[in-house]
Amino acid sequence: MKICVVGTGYVGLVGAAIFSDWGNPVIGVDKDENKIGRIKAGEMPIYEPGLSEIVLKNIKEGSLSFTTSLAEGVKESEVVFICVGTPQSESGAADLSAVWSVAKEIAQNMNGYKVIVIKSTVPVGTNERVKKIIQENLSGNCDFDVASNPEFLREGCSVEDMRNPDRNVIGSDSPKALSILRSLYEHLGKPIVECDLRSAEMIKYASNAFLATKITFVNEMAQVCERAGADISVVSKGMGLDRRIGHYFLNAGIGYGGSCFPKDVAALYKTSSDQDYDFNLVRGVMNVNKSQKEYFLQKVFRYYGKNLSNKRFAVLGLAFKNDTDDIRESVAIEIVKYLRGAGALLSVYDPQAMYNSKQILGDNGIKYCLDKYETLEGSDALFILTEWKEFASLDLEKVKLTLREPVIFDGRNLLDWRKVESLGFTYFAVGKRTNGVEKIERKDVYSTAILKNENNHH
Ligand code: UGA
């Protein structure tokens, strides 16, 4: 099956690579010349384990090529995947301008029957509008069908996710398009959900919003556990063993981030309000996610006071999650900005996201370190903000020796609190009543008492 993939972001580049690896001739298209040049030279614009090997192998074997010419890609193919970005606009809705302009250009370059497939995450009704745009701009008398084929891959394991999906979803009102796309995926032996366009579009938003809700539920449970003296990690484990709940996405932390969940949850809320429905639960999820990082920061301020100008902190983790260099909507980056805003100096390290972080944070007040232990030198406390595996196996004796004070704020519950506390650290986690929490509570009680005393004297 001759395939054209428009857009070489996470979804497009991984899609093009894997489709060609399955034996289909694929042309990847992107209007960004620099990006295309880099990919052709084997330099991936994103960090994704296993991706560059697959791209290089298939380029070499001649089944994968890249171009900046959409016309060339469209003319050569029978299936065209639209994988361009749909960022969040001011209103919370998805900005679909890139989808519209690609649809128009595809229409102008049609030279025979084609299936136009939208893989980008798009709100309900978008595929129908794409169909209309193509009809209105069609060159000549070509027949075509539109299909929705949302992508569920996770950054950091997208190659594996695409090769081994839980399901593929194909929406179309054309049996011919459904059958063409079925033949692309059926060799995987995984469930294929065939449905109408609108349901396919909705499955993607429903899935992302549900996962974000799952994380948010655990984050709120964490608040209750911390106050009530329970341990959220144990509670999550106990819940997750119930097959109806499942243990995925039950890790409490500083809130979800990334280029998908925040934008997709907001877009679903916008879709529901456009349909005159106030999606209460989703609204709650957005609000709780925002307060989750604020609550984490409150602990810092309750411990040190509001002014952090005489502090230096070691920060491990800047990416929005582990195994990626992506810092879009990264809660770690937001926390770094808050700490710097309160006057703290920061020594930061992330295994992959240093370059991207530097572009956003600049040099002011930030020292970019070469490895995790270097961040500790001259620092008053350690912050763990991204769930990289390598941070879970820190040599804690070394950490204690290097830090100026043995204090850890663990925003991802990566460390074992018993071990950390037994080594003499003051430890803060999420959803656990650790010795750090007890210290700030004592301090709060003490300062309230002083305040009361002062008031009595006046
Ligand atoms: C998410 C979905 O998981 C994919 O299925 C979907 O295809 C993708 O969005 C998309 O729409 O393109 P991704 O954004 O790569 O994938 O990242 P996730 O692994 O879902 O993590 C999202 C955020 O949730 C991260 O900030 C992560 O740290 C946080 N998280 C995740 C938690 O705080 N706790 C958890 O238990 C799991």
Side-chain angles (χ1 to χ4, degrees), residues 10-11 121 151-157 161 167 204 207-208 211-212 214-215 218-219 247-264 289 319-322 324 329-331 385-387 412:
Y10 278 94
V11 174
T121 301
E151 189 51 75
F152 300 98
L153 52 82
R154 293 159 300 169
E155 286 181 22
C157 41
D161 281 354
R167 80 305 208 180
K204 169 69 188 199
S207 304
N208 271 4
L211 291 169
K214 210 174 166 189
I215 299 168
V218 169
N219 282 340
H247 61 270
Y248 295 104
F249 282 63
L250 285 184
N251 294 325
I254 46 179
Y256 61 77
S259 65
C260 304
F261 282 0
K263 139 180 111 67
D264 293 350
N289 197 54
F320 84 95
K321 65 169 190 179
N322 58 311
T324 180
E329 300 286 321
S330 165
V331 185
L385 300 181
T386 306
E387 63 273 44
R412 299 293 192 160

Side-chain angles (χ1 to χ4, degrees), residues 56-131:
L56 284 175
K57 172 180 159 262
N58 288 286
I59 291 181
K60 207 169 151 207
E61 288 172 3
S63 57
L64 179 60
S65 60
F66 290 92
T67 175
T68 52
S69 161
L70 184 70
E72 181 193 329
V74 171
K75 291 203 163 89
E76 288 293 315
S77 320
E78 47 180 318
V79 181
V80 183
F81 283 90
I82 301 181
C83 304
V84 294
T86 53
Q88 192 173 340
S89 66
E90 289 281 312
S91 69
D95 173 355
L96 298 169
S97 48
V99 175
W100 308 144
S101 75
V102 167
K104 193 170 168 192
E105 217 182 320
I106 291 173
Q108 290 161 346
N109 288 289
M110 297 270 281
N111 58 346
Y113 174 80
K114 294 181 199 291
V115 190
I116 318 302
V117 193
I118 304 199
K119 240 192 194 317
S120 308
T121 301
V122 292
V124 166
T126 306
N127 276 270
E128 286 161 13
R129 197 158 156 209
V130 162
K131 195 169 174 179

Side-chain angles (χ1 to χ4, degrees), residues 256-299:
Y256 61 77
S259 65
C260 304
F261 282 0
K263 139 180 111 67
D264 293 350
V265 172
L268 178 61
Y269 186 69
K270 180 74 175 53
T271 300
S272 72
S273 13
D274 286 349
Q275 305 293 329
D276 288 330
Y277 182 72
D278 179 12
F279 203 147
N280 261 303
L281 181 60
V282 162
R283 185 154 42 79
V285 167
M286 293 191 286
N287 289 335
V288 172
N289 197 54
K290 214 168 130 232
S291 35
Q292 192 66 10
K293 68 168 173 289
E294 285 158 10
Y295 185 71
F296 181 76
L297 280 161
Q298 256 177 37
K299 286 185 204 158

Side-chain angles (χ1 to χ4, degrees), residues 284-428:
V285 167
M286 293 191 286
N287 289 335
V288 172
N289 197 54
K290 214 168 130 232
S291 35
Q292 192 66 10
K293 68 168 173 289
E294 285 158 10
Y295 185 71
F296 181 76
L297 280 161
Q298 256 177 37
K299 286 185 204 158
V300 182
F301 293 122
R302 278 166 77 193
Y303 188 69
Y304 290 113
K306 289 237 154 59
N307 186 354
L308 303 176
S309 56
N310 52 351
K311 300 283 169 221
R312 172 176 286 280
F313 295 133
V315 173
L316 293 183
L318 298 163
F320 84 95
K321 65 169 190 179
N322 58 311
D323 291 333
T324 180
D325 64 350
D326 198 341
I327 54 159
R328 285 176 290 174
E329 300 286 321
S330 165
V331 185
I333 295 278
E334 285 173 44
I335 288 177
V336 165
K337 284 183 181 168
Y338 265 96
L339 295 174
R340 178 169 67 178
L345 295 172
L346 300 148
S347 299
V348 304
Y349 173 74
D350 186 283
Q352 290 296 334
M354 296 299 267
Y355 175 81
N356 287 341
S357 302
K358 205 167 179 181
Q359 307 303 306
I360 296 289
L361 295 170
D363 287 313
N364 190 11
I366 300 196
K367 180 179 170 211
Y368 295 88
C369 299
L370 293 174
D371 75 86
K372 47 191 183 215
Y373 294 106
E374 192 194 328
T375 61
L376 306 166
E377 288 161 19
S379 290
D380 296 280
L382 163 65
F383 283 70
I384 302 178
L385 300 181
T386 306
E387 63 273 44
W388 285 94
K389 256 204 190 112
E390 65 176 82
F391 300 155
S393 56
L394 279 170
D395 177 345
L396 291 170
E397 308 266 2
K398 191 166 166 185
V399 173
K400 193 174 174 205
L401 277 175
T402 324
L403 277 176
R404 285 161 50 129
E405 303 274 344
V407 181
I408 299 180
F409 291 88
D410 181 354
R412 299 293 192 160
N413 289 346
L414 283 195
L415 306 177
D416 173 354
W417 68 267
R418 281 191 189 82
K419 189 169 165 208
V420 180
E421 288 188 5
S422 72
L423 285 168
F425 283 94
T426 298
Y427 182 57
F428 295 89

